[in-house]
């Protein structure tokens, strides 16, 4: 797998643990949006607490990536869906624990009117691994 960070001064610099773009080759893994469900009980983790919910979402993503033979460092793109953009800083603090700013994936983050099971956060990702 090849992974190259794309940066240009002709576009705004990242303001968090993400990069403007990533060029990648290899086997692509498209991970469906994950919400803060406990994989054993199927119950929502951290009702009303975006920090706890983001931790569970990241754990779910990590488990799926591992099942595909990938790690967070193989992720080239994420999309974060927040119920309330006021939760951005709290979500971003947890997210940053998994992605180093220098080689973090590209990212989009949007506020949505509603998420499955009325959770506060959902994250999907795309990873690339060697074939």
């Amino acid at each position: 797998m090849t992974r190259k960070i794309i940066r240009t001064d002709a576009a705004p610099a990242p303001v968090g643990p993400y990069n403007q773009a990533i060029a990648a080759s290899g086997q692509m893994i498209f991970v469906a949006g994950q919400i803060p469900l406990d994989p054993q009980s199927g119950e929502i983790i951290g009702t009303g607490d975006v920090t706890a919910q983001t931790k569970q979402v990241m754990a779910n993503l990590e488990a799926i990536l591992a099942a595909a033979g990938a790690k967070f460092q193989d992720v080239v793109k994420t999309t974060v869906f927040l119920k309330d953009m006021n939760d951005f800083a709290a979500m971003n603090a947890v997210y940053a624990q998994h992605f180093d700013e220098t080689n973090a994936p590209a990212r989009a983050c949007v506020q949505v009117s509603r998420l499955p099971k009325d959770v506060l956060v959902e994250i999907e990702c795309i990873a690339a691994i060697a074939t």
Side-chain angles (χ1 to χ4, degrees), residues 40-60:
Q40 306 307 317
S41 69
E43 297 295 319
I44 299 295
I45 299 297
T47 302
D49 180 352
V50 74
T51 297
Q53 287 195 5
T54 304
K55 286 178 182 177
Q56 185 62 49
V57 166
M58 297 305 287
N60 293 347

Side-chain angles (χ1 to χ4, degrees), residues 17-104:
Y18 66 94
N19 278 293
Q20 292 168 318
I22 306 289
S25 65
Q27 182 180 15
M28 304 301 286
I29 302 161
F30 298 86
V31 182
Q34 295 300 300
I35 62 173
L37 287 177
D38 178 282
Q40 306 307 317
S41 69
E43 297 295 319
I44 299 295
I45 299 297
T47 302
D49 180 352
V50 74
T51 297
Q53 287 195 5
T54 304
K55 286 178 182 177
Q56 185 62 49
V57 166
M58 297 305 287
N60 293 347
L61 289 171
E62 186 172 37
I64 294 167
L65 289 167
K71 298 177 182 172
F72 279 123
Q73 67 232 35
D74 299 314
V75 174
V76 295
K77 174 72 167 81
T78 63
T79 305
V80 179
F81 304 95
L82 289 172
K83 182 175 181 179
D84 185 344
M85 196 56 81
N86 290 317
D87 288 336
F88 179 83
M91 174 282 300
N92 204 47
V94 175
Y95 182 97
Q97 294 171 10
H98 300 278
F99 296 111
D100 178 289
E101 283 190 29
T102 58
N103 54 0

